[in-house]
Amino acid sequence: MHAPRRRTKIVATLGPATSSPERIEALIDAGLDVARLNFSHGSADDHRARVRLVREIADRLGRHVAIMGDLQGPKIRIARFADGQIELQVGDPFTLSIQHPVDAGTRQIVGIEYPPLVQDCTPGDELLLDDGRVILKVDSVDEFAVHTTVTVGGPLSNNKGINRRGGGISAPSLTDKDRQDIRLIAELDLDYVAVSFPRSGTDMEQARRLVREAGSHAWIIAKIERAEAVADDAAMDDLIRASDGVMVARGDLGVEIGDARLVGIQKRIIQHARTLNKVVITATQMMESMIASPIPTRAEVSDVANAVLDYTDAVMLSAESASGQYPVEAVQAMARICLGAEQEPTSVKSHHRLGETFTRCDETIALASMYAANHFPGIKAIISLTESGHTPLIMSRIRSGVPIYCYTRHEATQRRAAMFRGVYTVPFDAATLPPAEVSEAAIDILRQQGLLQSGDWIILTKGDFYSNSGGTNGLKILRVA
């Protein structure tokens, strides 16, 4: 039989280092499942070219690769320095001004690109610049400026981000640029949209409305990166419920809540997302050293493996694949670490939602299937005939070593399922076959690929009507002839 397939999916960001057809093909060969376009960088034409290449190459290789557009959001930044960079010392006074010219910053003062910052700050606040590399304490605030003292010094260059310790910056989560990028996402028929800095489910509902109005059916991912989003379980669940999935965006989140709490919160987000039947991506600095090194550090190996053992759907590369020197090696290393961590027996035991009631018929079938698969040793595969991909998504929330095959006729569903942990896509149109032949035809595909043999058992789920999303109402246990 085949060697075990990697169940955790890999998201990699495309950028200057990964824009050529050769590099994109090498990434897909190395195990790329989801290509991320970061709308904080690059032009619309850059993104168009990358989408075209990913779709053409994946098609030629017979692979289903999802594409995610990541909105920039209201990243609050300082403006620019006259000399490009300054050096701040502990104890220096430093002013953030809404009146100062945007390209004339000095060691004493710099412009800010977000005027409401003066309303959001009060004396005693801590402002973290450049992901916390420079820290300022707010001494006083007037109508046009925030006056601070440097408590952690260092170099500071143009356009670096500003966070406030503990969160509370009031910027709306969708900017004019985001609205423009949502139109591009619709034009390019992307599979996922990641929303930056949402504070609540209301922000996500607004994003969903804009995405649908633009004519896109992309699934909506909430990037959890504000302190308010993890203030308590109710706030976190509100954001998760309003989304199709979440990203543990550890860069800004770590800055706002402090690095000591980050790992515990990461584990809680993953667990809550899975319980609420949502996709979850773990992101930021997973392989940071591989920007300039061909091998990861032991700490990075441990970080990726821990996310896998927590049952994240996907692990993500940012600068490592977008602008690093070893983008393909980073994907290969990530694939290797995921496979290694998945060999641990903890990854097939589940206490998921025992003692809870279910709310939908397809959810009940999905979870019953997983219970059967994990308790009947002969079962080698689960085949889910699906329109939207919702049934295999729910199945994959349960810890299991049994592969889940998403059989669907829809290209959008085929690509979307590339993000789901332990789910593999099989193009299949049940409506073209006589009902009595559907099960046999479905089993045949896996048997021809050497994934099933005579005597194996499989679970097959389907709806009475193949055109209804959410209509899964049947479960069969079948023996391979």
Coordinates of all heavy atoms in Angstrom, one line a residue, residues 257-307:
I257 N -0.6 41.1 22.7 CA -0.9 40.4 24.0 C 0.4 40.0 24.7 O 0.3 39.6 25.9 CB -1.7 39.1 23.7 CG1 -1.0 38.1 22.9 CG2 -3.1 39.5 23.1 CD1 -1.7 36.7 22.8
G258 N 1.6 40.2 24.0 CA 2.8 39.8 24.7 C 3.2 38.3 24.3 O 2.3 37.5 24.2
D259 N 4.5 38.1 24.1 CA 4.9 36.8 23.6 C 4.6 35.6 24.6 O 4.4 34.5 24.2 CB 6.4 36.8 23.2 CG 7.3 37.3 24.3 OD1 6.8 37.5 25.5 OD2 8.5 37.5 24.0
A260 N 4.5 35.9 25.9 CA 4.4 34.9 26.9 C 3.0 34.2 26.8 O 2.9 33.0 27.0 CB 4.5 35.4 28.3
R261 N 2.0 34.9 26.4 CA 0.7 34.3 26.3 C 0.4 33.7 24.9 O -0.7 33.0 24.8 CB -0.4 35.4 26.6 CG -0.4 35.8 28.0 CD -1.6 36.7 28.4 NE -2.8 35.9 28.1 CZ -4.0 36.5 27.7 NH1 -4.0 37.8 27.4 NH2 -5.0 35.7 27.4
L262 N 1.2 33.9 24.0 CA 0.9 33.6 22.6 C 0.6 32.1 22.3 O -0.4 31.7 21.7 CB 2.0 34.1 21.6 CG 1.7 34.0 20.2 CD1 0.5 34.8 19.8 CD2 2.9 34.4 19.4
V263 N 1.4 31.2 22.9 CA 1.3 29.8 22.6 C 0.0 29.2 23.1 O -0.7 28.5 22.5 CB 2.5 29.0 23.1 CG1 2.3 27.5 22.9 CG2 3.8 29.4 22.3
G264 N -0.3 29.6 24.4 CA -1.6 29.1 25.0 C -2.8 29.6 24.2 O -3.7 28.8 23.9
I265 N -2.8 30.9 23.8 CA -3.9 31.4 23.0 C -4.0 30.7 21.6 O -5.0 30.4 21.1 CB -3.7 32.9 22.8 CG1 -3.7 33.7 24.1 CG2 -4.7 33.5 21.7 CD1 -5.0 34.3 24.5
Q266 N -2.8 30.4 21.0 CA -2.8 29.7 19.7 C -3.5 28.4 19.9 O -4.4 28.0 19.0 CB -1.3 29.5 19.3 CG -1.2 28.5 18.1 CD 0.2 28.3 17.7 OE1 1.0 29.3 17.6 NE2 0.6 27.1 17.4
K267 N -3.2 27.6 20.9 CA -3.8 26.3 21.1 C -5.3 26.5 21.3 O -6.1 25.7 20.8 CB -3.2 25.6 22.3 CG -1.8 25.1 22.0 CD -1.1 24.5 23.3 CE 0.3 24.1 23.0 NZ 0.4 22.9 22.1
R268 N -5.7 27.5 22.0 CA -7.2 27.8 22.3 C -7.9 28.1 21.0 O -9.0 27.6 20.7 CB -7.4 28.8 23.4 CG -8.8 29.0 23.8 CD -9.0 29.4 25.2 NE -8.0 30.3 25.7 CZ -8.2 31.6 26.1 NH1 -9.4 32.1 26.0 NH2 -7.2 32.3 26.6
I269 N -7.3 29.0 20.2 CA -7.9 29.3 18.9 C -8.1 28.1 18.0 O -9.2 27.9 17.5 CB -7.1 30.4 18.1 CG1 -7.0 31.7 18.9 CG2 -7.7 30.6 16.7 CD1 -6.0 32.7 18.3
I270 N -7.1 27.2 17.9 CA -7.2 26.0 17.1 C -8.3 25.1 17.6 O -9.2 24.7 16.8 CB -5.8 25.3 17.1 CG1 -4.8 26.1 16.3 CG2 -6.0 23.9 16.4 CD1 -3.4 25.5 16.4
Q271 N -8.4 25.0 18.9 CA -9.4 24.1 19.5 C -10.8 24.6 19.2 O -11.7 23.9 18.8 CB -9.1 23.9 21.0 CG -10.1 23.0 21.7 CD -10.1 23.2 23.2 OE1 -9.2 23.8 23.8 NE2 -11.2 22.7 23.8
H272 N -11.0 25.9 19.5 CA -12.3 26.5 19.3 C -12.7 26.5 17.8 O -13.9 26.2 17.5 CB -12.3 28.0 19.8 CG -12.4 28.1 21.3 ND1 -13.4 28.9 21.9 CD2 -11.7 27.5 22.3 CE1 -13.2 28.8 23.2 NE2 -12.2 28.0 23.5
A273 N -11.8 26.8 16.9 CA -12.1 26.8 15.5 C -12.6 25.4 15.1 O -13.6 25.2 14.4 CB -10.9 27.2 14.6
R274 N -11.9 24.3 15.5 CA -12.3 23.0 15.2 C -13.7 22.6 15.7 O -14.5 22.0 15.1 CB -11.2 22.0 15.6 CG -9.9 22.3 15.0 CD -8.9 21.2 15.4 NE -9.3 19.9 14.9 CZ -9.3 19.5 13.7 NH1 -8.8 20.2 12.7 NH2 -9.7 18.3 13.3
T275 N -13.9 23.0 17.0 CA -15.2 22.7 17.6 C -16.3 23.3 16.9 O -17.4 22.8 16.8 CB -15.2 23.1 19.1 OG1 -14.1 22.4 19.8 CG2 -16.5 22.8 19.8
L276 N -16.1 24.5 16.3 CA -17.1 25.3 15.6 C -17.1 25.0 14.1 O -17.7 25.7 13.3 CB -16.9 26.8 15.9 CG -17.2 27.2 17.3 CD1 -16.7 28.7 17.5 CD2 -18.6 27.1 17.7
N277 N -16.5 23.9 13.7 CA -16.5 23.4 12.3 C -15.8 24.4 11.3 O -16.3 24.5 10.2 CB -17.9 23.1 11.8 CG -18.4 21.8 12.5 OD1 -17.7 20.9 12.9 ND2 -19.7 21.7 12.7
K278 N -14.8 25.1 11.8 CA -14.1 26.0 10.9 C -12.7 25.6 10.6 O -12.0 24.9 11.4 CB -14.0 27.4 11.5 CG -15.4 27.9 12.0 CD -16.4 28.2 10.9 CE -17.7 28.8 11.5 NZ -18.6 29.1 10.5
V279 N -12.2 26.0 9.4 CA -10.8 25.8 9.0 C -9.8 26.7 9.9 O -10.2 27.8 10.3 CB -10.6 26.2 7.6 CG1 -9.1 26.2 7.1 CG2 -11.4 25.3 6.7
V280 N -8.6 26.2 10.2 CA -7.7 27.0 11.0 C -6.3 26.9 10.4 O -5.8 25.9 10.1 CB -7.8 26.7 12.5 CG1 -7.5 25.3 12.8 CG2 -6.8 27.6 13.3
I281 N -5.7 28.1 10.2 CA -4.3 28.2 9.7 C -3.4 28.8 10.8 O -3.8 29.8 11.4 CB -4.3 29.2 8.5 CG1 -5.3 28.8 7.4 CG2 -2.8 29.3 7.9 CD1 -5.6 30.0 6.4
T282 N -2.2 28.2 11.0 CA -1.2 28.8 11.9 C -0.1 29.5 11.1 O 0.4 28.8 10.2 CB -0.7 27.7 12.8 OG1 -1.8 27.0 13.4 CG2 0.3 28.3 13.9
A283 N 0.1 30.7 11.4 CA 1.0 31.6 10.5 C 2.0 32.4 11.3 O 1.8 32.7 12.5 CB 0.0 32.5 9.7
T284 N 2.9 32.9 10.6 CA 3.9 33.9 10.9 C 5.2 33.3 11.6 O 5.1 32.7 12.6 CB 3.4 35.0 11.9 OG1 2.0 35.3 11.6 CG2 4.2 36.3 11.7
Q285 N 6.3 33.6 10.9 CA 7.6 33.2 11.4 C 7.8 31.7 11.7 O 8.6 31.4 12.5 CB 8.0 34.0 12.7 CG 8.1 35.5 12.4 CD 8.5 36.3 13.7 OE1 8.2 35.9 14.8 NE2 9.0 37.5 13.5
M286 N 7.0 30.8 11.0 CA 7.2 29.4 11.3 C 8.6 28.9 10.9 O 9.1 28.0 11.6 CB 6.1 28.6 10.7 CG 4.7 29.0 11.1 SD 3.5 27.7 11.0 CE 3.7 26.8 12.6
M287 N 9.1 29.4 9.9 CA 10.4 29.0 9.4 C 11.3 30.2 9.1 O 12.1 30.3 8.1 CB 10.3 28.2 8.1 CG 9.5 27.0 8.2 SD 10.6 25.6 8.6 CE 9.6 24.2 8.3
E288 N 11.2 31.3 10.0 CA 11.8 32.6 9.7 C 13.3 32.5 9.3 O 13.8 33.2 8.5 CB 11.7 33.4 11.0 CG 12.1 34.9 10.8 CD 11.0 35.8 10.2 OE1 10.0 35.2 9.8 OE2 11.2 37.0 10.3
S289 N 14.0 31.6 10.0 CA 15.5 31.5 9.7 C 15.7 31.0 8.3 O 16.8 31.3 7.7 CB 16.2 30.6 10.7 OG 15.9 29.2 10.4
M290 N 14.7 30.4 7.6 CA 14.9 29.8 6.3 C 14.8 30.9 5.2 O 15.0 30.6 4.0 CB 14.0 28.7 6.0 CG 14.3 27.4 6.8 SD 13.5 26.0 6.1 CE 14.4 25.7 4.6
I291 N 14.6 32.2 5.6 CA 14.7 33.3 4.7 C 16.1 33.3 4.2 O 16.4 33.6 3.0 CB 14.3 34.6 5.4 CG1 12.8 34.6 5.7 CG2 14.7 35.8 4.5 CD1 12.3 35.8 6.6
A292 N 17.1 33.0 5.1 CA 18.5 33.1 4.7 C 19.3 31.8 4.9 O 20.5 31.8 4.7 CB 19.2 34.2 5.5
S293 N 18.6 30.7 5.3 CA 19.3 29.5 5.6 C 18.6 28.3 4.9 O 17.3 28.3 4.9 CB 19.4 29.3 7.1 OG 19.6 27.9 7.4
P294 N 19.3 27.3 4.4 CA 18.6 26.2 3.7 C 18.0 25.2 4.7 O 17.3 24.3 4.3 CB 19.7 25.6 2.9 CG 21.0 25.9 3.6 CD 20.8 27.2 4.3
I295 N 18.3 25.3 6.0 CA 17.7 24.3 7.0 C 17.1 25.1 8.1 O 17.5 26.2 8.5 CB 18.7 23.3 7.5 CG1 19.9 24.0 8.1 CG2 19.1 22.3 6.4 CD1 20.8 23.1 9.0
P296 N 16.0 24.6 8.7 CA 15.3 25.3 9.8 C 16.0 25.0 11.1 O 16.8 24.1 11.2 CB 13.9 24.6 9.8 CG 14.1 23.2 9.3 CD 15.3 23.3 8.3
T297 N 15.8 25.9 12.1 CA 16.3 25.6 13.4 C 15.5 24.6 14.1 O 14.3 24.3 13.8 CB 16.3 26.9 14.3 OG1 14.9 27.3 14.5 CG2 17.0 28.1 13.6
R298 N 16.0 24.0 15.2 CA 15.3 23.0 16.0 C 14.0 23.6 16.6 O 13.0 23.0 16.6 CB 16.1 22.5 17.2 CG 17.3 21.6 16.7 CD 16.8 20.2 16.3 NE 17.9 19.4 15.7 CZ 18.1 19.4 14.4 NH1 17.4 20.1 13.5 NH2 19.1 18.6 13.9
A299 N 14.1 24.9 17.0 CA 12.9 25.6 17.5 C 11.8 25.7 16.5 O 10.6 25.6 16.8 CB 13.3 27.0 18.1
E300 N 12.2 26.0 15.2 CA 11.2 26.1 14.2 C 10.6 24.8 13.9 O 9.4 24.7 13.6 CB 11.8 26.7 12.9 CG 12.2 28.2 13.1 CD 13.1 28.7 12.1 OE1 13.8 28.0 11.4 OE2 13.2 30.0 11.9
V301 N 11.4 23.7 13.9 CA 10.8 22.3 13.7 C 9.8 22.1 14.7 O 8.7 21.6 14.5 CB 12.0 21.3 13.7 CG1 11.4 19.9 13.7 CG2 12.9 21.5 12.5
S302 N 10.2 22.4 16.0 CA 9.3 22.2 17.1 C 8.0 23.0 17.0 O 6.9 22.5 17.3 CB 10.0 22.5 18.4 OG 9.2 22.4 19.5
D303 N 8.1 24.2 16.5 CA 6.9 25.1 16.3 C 5.9 24.5 15.3 O 4.7 24.4 15.6 CB 7.4 26.5 15.9 CG 6.3 27.5 15.8 OD1 5.3 27.4 16.5 OD2 6.4 28.4 14.9
V304 N 6.5 24.1 14.2 CA 5.6 23.5 13.1 C 4.9 22.2 13.6 O 3.7 22.0 13.5 CB 6.4 23.3 11.8 CG1 5.5 22.5 10.8 CG2 6.8 24.6 11.2
A305 N 5.8 21.4 14.2 CA 5.3 20.1 14.7 C 4.2 20.3 15.8 O 3.2 19.6 15.8 CB 6.4 19.2 15.3
N306 N 4.4 21.3 16.7 CA 3.4 21.5 17.7 C 2.0 21.9 17.1 O 1.0 21.5 17.6 CB 3.9 22.6 18.7 CG 4.4 22.0 20.0 OD1 3.7 21.2 20.6 ND2 5.6 22.4 20.3
A307 N 2.1 22.8 16.1 CA 0.8 23.2 15.4 C 0.1 22.0 14.8 O -1.1 21.9 14.9 CB 1.1 24.3 14.4

